[in-house]
Amino acid sequence: MNSRLSNATIAELPGAIAIPRYDRGAVTPGIIHLGVGAFHRAHQAAYVDACLADGEADWGIVGVSLRSPDTRDALSPQDGLYTLAVRDSAGEKLQVVGSILSLLVAPEDPGAVLAALTDPRIRIVTLTITEKAYLRAADGALDEAHPDIVHDLANPGSPKTAHGFLAEALARRRAAGTPPFTVLCCDNLPANGATLHRLLVEFAKLRDARASAGHRPLAGYVADEVAFPSSMVDRIVPATTDADRARIAGELGLEDAWPVMTEPFRQWVIEDRFPAGRPAWERFGVTMVEDVGPFEDMKLRLLNGAHSGIAYLGLLSGHATVDRAFADPAIRQFVDALWAEAIPTLPDDAGLDTTAYTAELAARFSNTALAHRTAQIANDGSQKLPQRIVASALARLEAKLLPEHLSLVVAAWIVACAERGKTLPEGHFTDPLDYALKDLFARHLPTAEMTTAVFDLTGFAKGHPERQTFIEFVATHLVHFKQDGPALALAALGIGDR
């Protein structure tokens, strides 16, 4: 099989495979997406594809990779086309998505990225760059000492970070008299729009402080004139394997260098603040709201929090995928108890149906077709756990309730990190704090002292009056893990056979 998916070959696909039914040549760019990875291609790009098919031809996507050329190298020879494979236990449906018009790689040509960002046709910039790429310090502020931030302040015309690209593009658009684009964060950050707004204002203030005389300050402009609606996104997107590529190629009769696997479920909740306009996403299932906060908290604490618990307990129990871990009776019982702890921390006046939501989550976690790897979910725990687990635990402590199951997830993360190179393969999953954690574990500190050191390193619960109590809960679980692994840690909570 030598032919490859592209504009020239798409007509050769079998009739059962859905393809774009619009004229891609007539589509113009209206959105730039920073972080054009698998999640974006399974989620936002699929929604935009539906809008294009509905006649909204001015919302095509320019994808930007801030680090690696891999996505560009895979999709550019395919004219941006790729296969979306929607899988569940009943089977698989294939759809070719055509909403990505072109792809850029920021490290290779930052000037081209800035030129795209300053195109007046671009009215929205979306981001899925993962939590760690927002470069926050332990206290949540912008990490001014990060080398990439230092670089971007010294080289505004050749940035490396999302902050640098957004700030320079907004400055250039203002100078040219072009209205600002709306910045739509789609990452799992608390109040993600407001968080990115604050970080970009902080970055702009640093730029302003270094600027020469006559410079027009940027921070006030970003603070007052640029919209940063918050959003909540949800769709499980496992990493694509070579076996997936081979199977998809067999179905297509064409090679696809990077198809994307996903589940039938998808959700997008967005605050409706788009001064420069937006696609009619609501026609295709997007929920447009005034306040995304309650939906975001429910997703972070119930889906993402449970995912983290499943990932670390699953790894420590020898389960490679979510469905296998969730089929473990002890882990399933633990997840139910985790939900029972987290639900009371959610607002009770926002119309959230947590019973239906957790039932839907249980069905999604049981999807045997996805093979969502626990190691993939386990990445970057120091960045993910604060909003997924720590926030719920502290809310319970403030309400004089115990965070027994929530605190066990933090302990399981610590143990999983410590076990790499021992019972878990080295590099099985990664974390931005890997080097510091490795040095800390090498000191063989007593459990209580080590737990405190981890909290100091990560900034978990920093400054919170219940921090010490939370540390003590985590340390107790660590003692049980050290004595007899996850079985004893769960048994101490009344879970399992022991």
Side-chain angles (χ1 to χ4, degrees):
M1 186 182 300
N2 296 318
S3 295
R4 190 161 173 177
L5 179 65
S6 68
N7 286 338
T9 61
I10 193 170
E12 301 173 14
L13 294 178
I17 297 171
I19 64 174
R21 296 299 180 184
Y22 50 88
D23 180 2
R24 295 188 77 218
V27 175
T28 56
I31 299 171
I32 285 183
H33 184 79
L34 304 182
V36 61
F39 181 82
H40 167 70
R41 294 192 285 130
H43 194 269
Q44 298 96 30
Y47 280 110
V48 172
D49 189 69
C51 292
L52 297 178
D54 199 42
E56 296 189 78
D58 55 347
W59 289 111
I61 299 171
V62 177
V64 176
S65 297
L66 293 176
R67 295 183 297 175
S68 166
D70 292 351
T71 303
R72 187 273 317 276
D73 292 349
L75 298 190
S76 286
Q78 301 180 182
D79 302 310
L81 295 170
Y82 61 92
T83 310
L84 183 63
V86 180
R87 311 184 69 193
D88 61 15
S89 301
E92 180 176 68
K93 294 181 179 180
L94 303 184
Q95 171 192 357
V96 175
V97 176
S99 55
I100 297 177
L101 305 182
S102 60
L103 296 116
L104 302 172
V105 180
E108 291 181 1
D109 194 349
V113 176
L114 288 170
L117 286 165
T118 52
D119 183 336
R121 296 175 298 176
I122 299 299
R123 287 157 285 161
I124 299 173
V125 175
T126 55
L127 300 91
T128 50
I129 58 176
T130 76
E131 293 92 331
K132 63 184 177 183
Y134 289 89
L135 305 180
R136 294 171 296 161
D139 61 358
L142 185 70
D143 184 0
E144 299 179 15
H146 192 282
D148 288 347
I149 294 293
V150 174
H151 170 275
D152 284 7
L153 292 171
N155 303 276
S158 183
K160 292 183 176 181
T161 71
H163 310 299
F165 279 107
L166 292 173
E168 179 64 14
L170 287 167
R172 293 185 183 189
R173 289 176 77 103
R174 181 181 60 169
T178 304
F181 42 65
T182 297
V183 182
L184 179 59
C185 180
C186 301
D187 280 303
N188 288 324
L189 303 175
N192 57 12
T195 298
L196 179 53
H197 189 193
R198 174 179 55 78
L199 291 170
L200 197 60
V201 169
E202 291 176 16
F203 181 83
K205 287 180 178 177
L206 295 174
R207 274 181 54 123
D208 290 342
R210 297 171 63 101
S212 58
H215 165 81
R216 296 176 66 190
L218 183 63
Y221 178 76
V222 173
D224 299 335
E225 302 297 330
V226 184
F228 290 78
S230 288
S231 76
M232 184 274 278
V233 300
D234 189 4
R235 198 171 206 185
I236 295 171
V237 184
T240 301
T241 67
D242 288 340
D244 292 326
R245 289 183 175 87
R247 185 186 68 259
I248 298 301
E251 294 290 330
L252 299 180
L254 297 170
E255 297 286 352
D256 182 347
W258 207 331
V260 178
M261 310 298 113
T262 193
E263 61 174 336
F265 178 91
R266 65 178 183 175
Q267 186 179 24
W268 199 3
V269 183
I270 309 174
E271 290 177 352
D272 201 357
R273 295 188 290 112
F274 291 82
R278 63 170 177 81
W281 283 313
E282 65 273 18
R283 295 182 187 174
F284 305 99
V286 177
T287 305
M288 307 302 299
V289 299
E290 291 187 7
D291 180 13
V292 76
F295 298 90
E296 177 188 63
D297 288 343
M298 182 170 69
K299 187 251 184 173
L300 283 168
R301 298 183 184 190
L302 301 186
L303 181 137
N304 297 125
H307 250 169
S308 290
I310 291 168
Y312 300 120
L313 287 172
L315 285 171
L316 294 170
S317 302
H319 301 304
T321 61
V322 169
D323 62 290
R324 293 178 186 175
F326 196 62
D328 183 321
I331 293 178
R332 172 59 195 268
Q333 187 180 346
F334 173 82
V335 171
D336 287 338
L338 186 76
W339 284 334
E341 283 190 359
I343 286 171
T345 73
L346 297 171
D348 57 10
D349 58 352
L352 302 178
D353 188 345
T354 57
T355 300
Y357 188 68
T358 52
E360 196 166 45
L361 291 181
R364 296 168 67 191
F365 293 162
S366 300
N367 186 344
T368 57
L370 282 182
H372 197 185
R373 295 186 301 111
T374 48
Q376 179 186 359
I377 299 167
N379 286 321
D380 306 330
S382 67
Q383 301 289 312
K384 295 175 178 177
L385 291 181
Q387 54 268 26
R388 297 183 175 195
I389 297 294
V390 175
S392 299
L394 295 177
R396 285 188 65 84
L397 288 169
E398 290 168 2
K400 308 302 180 186
L401 300 171
L402 302 181
E404 294 180 312
H405 298 79
L406 289 159
S407 55
L408 186 139
V409 177
V410 178
W413 168 69
I414 294 172
V415 174
C417 289
E419 286 300 307
R420 286 174 299 177
K422 300 175 184 176
T423 60
L424 296 176
E426 190 73 56
H428 202 42
F429 61 92
T430 62
D431 192 279
L433 297 179
D434 275 341
Y435 291 113
L437 286 168
K438 187 173 182 179
D439 289 343
L440 176 58
F441 297 146
R443 293 163 61 188
H444 301 293
L445 297 172
T447 300
E449 188 177 342
M450 189 271 290
T451 308
T452 299
V454 170
F455 272 61
D456 290 342
L457 178 64
T458 59
F460 291 169
K462 183 176 181 179
H464 196 280
E466 298 291 348
R467 178 177 184 268
Q468 185 56 41
T469 303
F470 188 25
I471 289 173
E472 290 169 4
F473 271 99
V474 174
T476 297
H477 292 309
L478 285 173
V479 170
H480 295 145
F481 272 111
K482 288 183 177 180
Q483 289 176 351
D484 198 13
L488 180 57
L490 292 171
L493 295 175
I495 295 173
D497 298 329
R498 296 174 67 96

